[in-house]
Amino acid sequence: MVLLGLTLGGLAAGGLLHLAGEGAAGDTAWTAVGALGAAYSLSSVVSALVAGRVGVDVVALLALVGALAVAEELAAAVIAVMVASGRSLEDWSAGRATGELRSLLARRPSRAHRYAGPALETVGADAVAAGDRLMVGPGEVVPVDGTVASDQAVVDESALTGEALPVELVAGDHVRSGVVNAGGSFDFRATTTAADSTYAGIVRLVSEAASSRPAFVRLADRFALWFLPATLGVAGVGWVIAGPARAVAVLVVATPCPLILAAPVAFVSGLSKAARRGIIVKGGDVLERLAACTTLLLDKTGTLTTGRAVVTAVVAGGPLPADDVLALAASVDQMSPHVLADAIVGEARARGCVLVLPDKVEEVPGQGAAGMVGDRRVTVGKAAWAGVAGRPPWVVAARRRAAIDGSMTVFVGVDGVPVGVLVLSDPIRPDAARTLRSLRQTGINRIVMVTGDRSEVADAVGSSIGVDQVLSERTPTDKLDVVRVERSQAPTAMVGDGINDAPALALADVGIAMGARGSTASSEAADVVLATDRIERLAEARVVVARTRRIATQSVVAGMGLSLAAMGVALAGLLPAVWGALLQEGIDVAAIVNALRVLRVDARPVHLNSRDAALSRRFRAEHEAVRADLEQLRQAADALGTADPTEAMRRVHDVHRLLVEEIAPHELAEEHELYPTIGRALGGSDATGPMSRSHAEIAYRTRRLGRLLDAIGDQAPDQSDVIELRSLLYGLHAILDLHTAQEEESYLSLADETEPD
């Protein structure tokens, strides 16, 4: 800015002196401005040569020297202002583009409030050790990773994830460094040091990203190698035709500022925009490579699935109802460190089960846990541990179902008698299928799932989300071989989250890590890290890089095209040096302004404001209860013809009451509250019509079930009644299961896409 001020001041002073009749003094002022511009251009050329590059500032330097040599003082002064303003525009543009990155670095936590006995002491964040108990005050940044030690906490994760709404946490929940306390003070237990925390890792990634030179910008330097001699050639022709003044006029409009300014500004803007959405890209060259990828390899667990086990069914195998079986198992698992225990306890709490603190708890590795819940001994774990002997029909059915679905089973016994089984699975991410469809729209034409999981599980996931090929039971070495084969055929990106994915991420043309819950090894090996636990950000990343590359190319091609056209006009003698300098200044500004369009927030297909997003999240939570209800439909249908007829019909009446009193009101609320909201966001005349049709079908089958039960009355159902009842129950289960999944994928996963009210 100092250079721009000096050159503008000198240009204006020379003009005023000319108006005052002091032409010689005015020319001297303009000459001084031209000399200042030449000195700056010379320093830029030398700096480029020292860095091993041919600086395109050579053209500007030649234009300035030429203008001074032919006594075009005003032209020299205007060219100097052009050079200074171009540099100032570049600094301003880059400063605006890197604002998000700078703000991320500026928010680095520097201190922590640590408990020293009953008192609090304020220490540097670097002094915190794993295991320390810390307090975070309102509005403060969490200094290190840890687990919540208070009853609850409310945090703003937008700096890391781009999530617009605060997140509510309870005791035991994981909290990451860099998030802001959006509620009252809360305590937490540190699990890392500041250097190993999530935020420190992101800062390192951002620093690497900001220091990288994009491949496209290197292409700009190579472009200068032929543009420079071409410019000198055209200027030489002008010299031959009309002398040195014509050559200077050509040189003035030949400075390739659009090339040296627009491309870097566009790519830095792309890095900034990606970081704003929780997508950390390790350099502009990664943007270039990601835009070129047409093949995508995806790990399954933690990438296409949530990576966390959830209870999908509770099958009662005795007189105890399913919720009682779950409550007993969760009571014991409160004290268990097993990886599945948290899922069981969480499901019990979500269903409102009352948990009892167990006594005499024991854990046998490889078998399970046991403890006294009241006056009953409850065992949770493998079938034999829970007292299963032989092949009871309900056990055979549960195991068969788990094998087909790729789920896990946890058996529950009470006083040595098996009473039920919990079925757990790693659910597919609700946004997975939609993300893959979006990726195909951005130019990805081959999607392959590569996983170490069993083929039956992998095939089920792959067919559900629509990948082109499933490669299962692959070791880390096998994954490397897959990457090599795919890279030999097309530019390939690999997405993963585990330590076992790190080698493949490093080998791929672009490695992408699910960094929110993934391993440090995968994040370090990857080129792109998704800081939020949403795979749909992968599609956003593709959109950002494609748009960045397109706008950079547009800026360069349009700017250089205008410069070349101006050179032709100047060669013909129709553009004097002074006017050529002014025209080139306008071309520079237009190219940079166009490059800054990368920062503009695109109108994404769907926007939900914070109120609508909260409504969507409410219905997503209700779906958890609906899924538990669906399992009762299936169990009632299974009981018909196999269990005691009276017990079987009791179950059927119970599920009919559930359909009428719980599911029907939920569907009605969706119809009148959720669907109008989603319809406004999606646009069109009947965006939610297919889902409303499903509601009508569910209501029709529910009424038909009720009429059939009324017709049977207190009598035992005959064979035709059993067949009809099973048909209705299985049909309702299938429709509701599919309908719920479609709503979560198409509607409820949009809750993250919020805009200000």
Side-chain angles (χ1 to χ4, degrees):
M1 296 299 292
V2 173
L3 179 64
L4 179 60
L6 291 174
T7 53
L8 279 174
L11 179 64
L16 291 174
L17 287 171
H18 271 275
L19 290 176
E22 299 292 335
D27 289 342
T28 300
W30 286 339
T31 299
V33 172
L36 181 61
Y40 176 79
S41 297
L42 177 61
S43 67
S44 298
V45 170
V46 172
S47 297
L49 291 174
V50 170
R53 295 181 288 111
V54 176
V56 289
D57 286 325
V58 169
V59 178
L61 177 61
L62 292 175
L64 283 163
V65 172
L68 293 173
V70 298
E72 288 279 359
E73 294 88 356
L74 177 57
V78 172
I79 296 170
V81 171
M82 177 189 73
V83 170
S85 61
R87 179 58 57 188
S88 297
L89 277 171
E90 180 184 20
D91 292 341
W92 172 80
S93 302
R96 177 184 169 187
T98 57
E100 294 293 330
L101 305 185
R102 289 201 311 271
S103 66
L104 191 64
L105 295 171
R107 290 181 66 260
R108 184 188 318 211
S110 60
R111 62 177 188 168
H113 306 301
R114 182 173 62 187
Y115 283 96
L120 272 175
E121 60 179 359
T122 300
V123 298
D126 294 337
V128 175
D132 286 349
R133 187 181 178 94
L134 308 176
M135 187 276 290
V136 183
E140 292 184 344
V141 178
V142 176
V144 297
D145 295 359
T147 55
V148 177
S150 299
D151 291 338
Q152 64 177 1
V154 180
V155 297
D156 176 4
E157 296 184 338
S158 58
L160 298 185
T161 68
E163 296 279 0
L165 298 177
V167 177
E168 295 184 0
L169 305 175
V170 297
D173 282 351
H174 180 67
V175 59
R176 293 183 290 169
S177 60
V179 304
V180 177
N181 182 5
S185 299
F186 70 89
D187 294 348
F188 78 104
R189 184 77 63 180
T191 57
T192 68
T193 63
D196 295 329
S197 67
T198 297
Y199 202 77
I202 291 176
V203 168
R204 286 193 294 270
L205 297 180
V206 170
S207 298
E208 293 173 10
S211 63
S212 174
R213 261 176 78 78
F216 193 77
V217 179
R218 292 196 294 268
L219 177 63
D221 291 337
R222 292 196 296 271
F223 181 86
L225 292 176
W226 68 263
F227 183 80
L228 178 58
T231 299
L232 294 176
V234 175
V237 172
W239 189 306
V240 171
I241 293 175
R246 185 72 56 85
V248 169
V250 171
L251 289 173
V252 166
V253 294
T255 306
C257 288
L259 186 66
I260 61 177
L261 299 182
V265 167
F267 275 92
V268 174
S269 298
L271 292 174
S272 173
K273 185 172 182 180
R276 189 184 306 165
R277 293 293 292 165
I279 305 164
I280 307 301
V281 182
K282 298 182 184 180
D285 60 321
V286 177
L287 287 177
E288 181 76 7
R289 297 201 309 271
L290 182 56
C293 287
T294 57
T295 295
L296 182 66
L297 306 179
L298 294 153
D299 177 45
K300 181 183 76 69
T301 304
T303 301
L304 294 173
T305 65
T306 62
R308 303 182 301 276
V310 298
V311 177
T312 55
V314 181
V315 180
L320 290 178
D323 280 355
D324 287 356
V325 172
L326 178 61
L328 290 170
S331 293
V332 172
D333 271 344
Q334 291 179 101
M335 311 300 291
S336 173
H338 194 277
V339 66
L340 300 181
D342 285 344
I344 294 171
V345 173
E347 179 67 14
R349 286 175 173 161
R351 294 194 186 190
C353 298
V354 177
L355 304 187
V356 177
L357 192 64
D359 294 323
K360 301 179 182 179
V361 176
E362 62 173 321
E363 184 99 13
V364 178
Q367 294 298 318
M372 296 299 297
V373 180
D375 58 354
R376 294 181 287 187
R377 178 173 171 78
V378 179
T379 50
V380 184
K382 290 188 174 295
W385 177 255
V388 175
R391 293 170 54 84
W394 65 273
V395 172
V396 173
R399 282 175 166 166
R400 182 183 298 119
R401 174 182 175 182
I404 293 172
D405 296 340
S407 303
M408 297 164 282
T409 54
V410 175
F411 289 84
V412 184
V414 176
D415 296 328
V417 178
V419 296
V421 59
L422 312 179
V423 181
L424 298 95
S425 65
D426 181 11
I428 298 172
R429 292 177 182 270
D431 54 346
R434 181 161 57 92
T435 296
L436 297 195
R437 291 195 298 270
S438 299
L439 285 167
R440 293 187 190 279
Q441 294 173 2
T442 67
I444 296 292
N445 53 41
R446 176 170 167 77
I447 301 177
V448 181
M449 187 174 77
V450 188
T451 178
D453 212 340
R454 305 189 312 275
S455 58
E456 58 269 21
V457 178
D459 290 340
V461 173
S463 61
S464 297
I465 61 176
V467 300
D468 297 311
Q469 185 178 6
V470 175
L471 302 176
S472 57
E473 301 180 19
R474 301 300 168 114
T475 65
T477 302
D478 294 333
K479 289 184 178 182
L480 284 175
D481 293 337
V482 172
V483 172
R484 290 190 184 97
V485 170
E486 296 295 340
R487 283 190 67 193
S488 67
Q489 300 173 7
T492 299
M494 169 76 186
V495 188
D497 76 317
I499 294 174
N500 62 327
D501 297 320
L505 294 178
L507 180 63
D509 292 302
V510 177
I512 304 169
M514 301 292 293
R517 295 181 183 272
S519 71
T520 302
S522 63
S523 295
E524 293 292 337
D527 302 298
V528 179
V529 179
L530 305 184
T532 180
D533 193 35
R534 297 184 67 91
I535 195 175
E536 67 182 14
R537 295 297 168 85
L538 179 58
E540 285 192 40
R542 279 280 298 185
V543 171
V544 169
V545 299
R547 189 166 186 268
T548 298
R549 188 182 187 187
R550 182 175 68 253
I551 290 177
T553 303
Q554 290 173 353
S555 299
V556 169
V557 171
M560 295 311 300
L562 291 172
S563 293
L564 290 171
M567 286 172 61
V569 175
L571 180 63
L574 302 177
L575 189 63
V578 173
W579 291 106
L582 294 173
L583 176 61
Q584 183 60 47
E585 179 80 349
I587 293 173
D588 295 348
V589 172
I592 292 174
V593 169
N594 187 65
L596 283 171
R597 288 195 299 119
V598 174
L599 286 173
R600 191 181 66 194
V601 177
D602 296 333
R604 289 191 293 273
V606 178
H607 277 306
L608 298 183
N609 60 37
S610 58
R611 182 183 60 258
D612 294 342
L615 179 68
S616 180
R617 289 188 174 92
R618 184 195 112 196
F619 280 99
R620 184 191 297 175
E622 290 183 12
H623 271 206
E624 297 298 323
V626 169
R627 289 197 179 279
D629 294 342
L630 293 183
E631 186 55 32
Q632 296 185 47
L633 288 173
R634 183 169 178 168
Q635 291 178 14
D638 291 343
L640 286 166
T642 60
D644 175 75
T646 302
E647 172 63 19
M649 288 303 294
R650 183 192 65 78
R651 291 192 180 188
V652 175
H653 279 281
D654 285 346
V655 298
H656 178 256
R657 189 160 44 251
L658 182 151
L659 286 165
V660 172
E661 297 177 2
E662 295 186 24
I663 291 181
H666 167 79
E667 304 287 288
L668 189 64
E670 285 185 331
E671 196 71 40
H672 291 93
E673 296 180 61
L674 178 65
Y675 286 9
T677 296
I678 297 298
R680 288 193 300 271
L682 295 177
S685 59
D686 193 20
T688 60
M691 293 301 176
S692 294
R693 179 65 186 86
S694 295
H695 281 171
E697 183 66 20
I698 293 166
Y700 166 72
R701 289 176 180 259
T702 300
R703 289 193 301 271
R704 187 173 178 184
L705 176 62
R707 288 195 296 268
L708 180 56
L709 289 174
D710 289 341
I712 295 172
D714 295 333
Q715 301 177 2
D718 59 25
Q719 188 61 30
S720 63
D721 291 334
V722 169
I723 292 173
E724 182 66 15
L725 286 169
R726 275 183 168 175
S727 174
L728 284 170
L729 290 172
Y730 284 137
L732 278 165
H733 178 273
I735 294 172
L736 280 163
D737 191 42
L738 176 61
H739 177 69
T740 301
Q742 287 176 325
E743 284 184 333
E744 289 177 350
E745 176 186 326
S746 302
Y747 300 163
L748 302 184
S749 63
L750 300 177
D752 177 56
E753 303 305 315
T754 58
E755 64 181 359
D757 290 312

